[in-house]
Amino acid sequence: MNKTGVKKMLLTIGAVIGALAAGWYAVFGLKPYTVTMADVTERYAYVQPAALNFELKQDDSNGYHFTYTSFDGAIVNGYMRLPEASISATKPVPVLIGAHAMGRANVRWWQDSFKDRPTWESTDKITKMALAKGYAVITIDARNHGERKDPQHSIVDIINNLHWWGEREPYEQMLIDTVRDHRVLLDWLSHQPQFDATRIDIAGYSMGAQVSLLLAAVDDRVNRVAAVVPPHMSNRTAIVAPLSLLQGLTDNPVLLLTANDDEYASEKENMQLFNALPHSDKQHHKFAGGHLLPADYVQHFEPWL
């Protein structure tokens, strides 16, 4: 085959690939959409269960394993620990809710390793710091995570179907329902006399940072937010994109920690989020490297707590 024939063949192959890609996007590609605050209010609304069935089992570390019934009858599991000082405290103690990353579980806020796998995100260090500062710390498993995994519908399935087949509803619903699980948790926390209902803060890593911003945006019982490397969410998944819910963050001071080479959020996207945060009390700390921050990032929690 001469050069002209080769060139024509390559052009034909390129045209076919381009047509296939265009066809795939037309059928399966995620399309941008917009949401209003009315849409947000409707999607994140929930009916408080008539009975939470909040069950606690104390351990020997001044902590409690617990379960409760969520808005849709699902059973939520988690763990809570009180600061040592709370045993003799005369005033209610502040609360820090910890939200874990995608593919992880709430245990990562309590242990430096799990099943011989290190807790690289160092959230266990934040827990220790918070307890030392007099906070009660409480964590739950997100939907489809930890003890709540669905073997018939794994996280890998959800993400692959989102990106390959445009099935955003399972992904969005997982996050929305996780936020609503936290809202039911807030129902319980705000009625417990040992906790200061005016000082409920939330911190999250990656997906947990996303959940933290969403929860604060839809529920005014959350005070401050610490968001560590939240993934960038565009308007292709607008209902779970913090940028879509900024109006709800007007009263929330935010500590934002990001990576300049994050594979899930570019430096420009991180700056876009920080600049858009509406509260004047906001901090932004940037780190070199990718989505996994150096362990010493937790030092920024020392003055924040």
Side-chain angles (χ1 to χ4, degrees):
M1 184 180 295
N2 58 32
K3 291 183 178 179
T4 301
V6 171
K7 185 175 181 180
K8 287 181 178 180
M9 183 181 68
L10 292 175
L11 288 173
T12 300
I13 293 173
V16 170
I17 292 174
L20 289 173
W24 173 87
Y25 180 77
V27 177
F28 301 113
L30 288 171
K31 311 301 190 300
Y33 67 100
T34 58
V35 294
T36 65
M37 286 309 294
D39 297 326
V40 170
T41 299
E42 180 181 356
R43 288 294 302 274
Y44 287 89
Y46 71 107
V47 177
Q48 184 178 8
L52 292 176
N53 296 321
F54 208 101
E55 299 182 4
L56 300 104
K57 183 178 180 181
Q58 189 170 12
D59 62 17
D60 56 4
S61 301
N62 199 33
Y64 299 83
H65 297 275
F66 64 83
T67 60
Y68 63 89
T69 304
S70 196
F71 66 93
D72 59 351
I75 302 301
V76 183
N77 65 285
Y79 186 74
M80 171 178 62
R81 187 171 293 166
L82 304 175
E84 291 293 336
S86 69
I87 298 175
S88 59
T90 57
K91 295 181 179 180
V93 298
V95 176
L96 178 67
I97 298 173
H100 64 77
M102 179 173 286
R104 305 298 249 177
N106 88 87
V107 70
R108 293 298 182 170
W109 282 81
W110 302 102
Q111 299 177 190
D112 60 8
S113 65
F114 181 64
K115 295 183 177 179
D116 296 323
R117 297 177 181 177
T119 300
W120 295 112
E121 56 269 47
S122 300
T123 43
D124 59 302
K125 297 180 176 65
I126 298 173
T127 294
K128 291 178 182 178
M129 193 179 297
L131 290 169
K133 292 277 189 176
Y135 281 79
V137 180
I138 187 164
T139 61
I140 65 172
D141 280 342
R143 296 269 171 145
N144 291 74
H145 287 75
E147 295 180 19
R148 308 177 73 189
K149 286 181 180 177
D150 180 356
Q152 304 301 318
H153 199 50
S154 70
I155 297 300
V156 173
D157 293 333
I158 291 174
I159 297 302
N160 284 343
N161 290 340
L162 170 72
H163 293 303
W164 283 104
W165 309 118
E167 296 179 8
R168 61 180 156 219
E169 183 61 23
Y171 170 73
E172 292 179 341
Q173 201 61 52
M174 176 181 70
L175 288 164
I176 291 170
D177 287 347
T178 296
V179 170
R180 296 198 285 185
D181 288 341
H182 279 90
R183 297 193 74 180
V184 176
L185 175 63
L186 289 171
D187 291 336
W188 181 81
L189 285 173
S190 59
H191 288 91
Q192 303 306 307
Q194 67 268 41
F195 302 127
D196 185 346
T198 68
R199 297 180 63 195
I200 298 177
D201 300 332
I202 186 166
Y205 197 103
S206 190
M207 182 188 76
Q210 181 184 358
V211 167
S212 298
L213 290 165
L214 297 175
L215 177 63
V218 301
D219 201 308
D220 60 11
R221 291 172 294 186
V222 175
N223 183 14
R224 301 180 304 156
V225 181
V228 185
V229 291
H232 173 71
M233 292 290 113
S234 72
N235 56 3
R236 289 178 172 81
T237 51
I239 195 65
V240 293
L243 285 169
S244 299
L245 281 69
L246 290 171
Q247 184 177 329
L249 292 167
T250 303
D251 297 326
N252 301 103
V254 176
L255 171 66
L256 179 65
L257 297 94
T258 64
N260 291 337
D261 294 311
D262 194 330
E263 52 270 43
Y264 303 111
S266 68
E267 187 174 5
K268 181 179 179 180
E269 289 165 343
N270 289 328
M271 282 303 304
Q272 178 190 14
L273 174 61
F274 178 73
N275 291 334
L277 292 170
H279 201 287
S280 59
D281 184 0
K282 57 183 180 179
Q283 304 173 49
H284 187 190
H285 299 285
K286 308 173 190 178
F287 297 84
H291 195 63
L292 184 62
L293 295 185
D296 62 359
Y297 84 85
V298 300
Q299 295 177 4
H300 292 285
F301 278 81
E302 180 70 33
W304 185 80
L305 290 166

